[in-house]
Amino acid sequence: MRVFKIPFDIKREEKIFGGYLSLRQVLYLMISASSLIVLTIPINIIIKVIFISIFSIFFLLCAFLKINEQNFDKFFFYAIKYLFRKKNFVYERCCK
């Protein structure tokens, strides 16, 4: 039996939906659209608009923004991990 190598690109996501959107992007778009549920809560309209805009802008950035060929969501999680990691501080005197 002959074995053939199948070429595939690990660095890029597969565009499943219409050839334009990946599964990750569609999930973030659905989460962004679900922020409209806030409209059913009986609070001030200004608070609703602020919450919906912040929530949807963050998830739209996660879906579409790339920073140095790295998706924003991975970049954001790396930044959070960096902020909350255990840091070692070494104190040394430089001069006598």
Side-chain angles (χ1 to χ4, degrees), residues 38-72:
V38 172
L39 292 174
T40 61
I41 300 172
I43 56 174
N44 194 352
I45 190 72
I46 296 171
I47 296 172
K48 289 179 187 180
V49 169
I50 290 171
F51 179 77
I52 290 171
S53 62
I54 290 172
F55 197 74
S56 62
I57 287 172
F58 175 75
F59 283 107
L60 287 173
L61 287 174
C62 286
F64 296 110
L65 182 66
K66 284 191 175 184
I67 301 172
N68 293 332
E69 296 298 320
Q70 186 175 14
N71 294 327
F72 178 76

Side-chain angles (χ1 to χ4, degrees), residues 4-38:
F4 296 100
K5 281 189 164 186
I6 300 173
F8 57 94
D9 191 4
I10 298 175
K11 294 181 182 179
R12 295 188 183 184
E13 295 176 309
E14 290 187 31
K15 304 293 182 178
I16 299 172
F17 296 96
Y20 299 109
L21 297 174
S22 66
L23 180 62
R24 180 187 62 82
Q25 289 173 324
V26 170
L27 290 175
Y28 281 127
L29 286 174
M30 289 171 53
I31 293 170
S32 177
S34 69
S35 69
L36 296 175
I37 293 173
V38 172

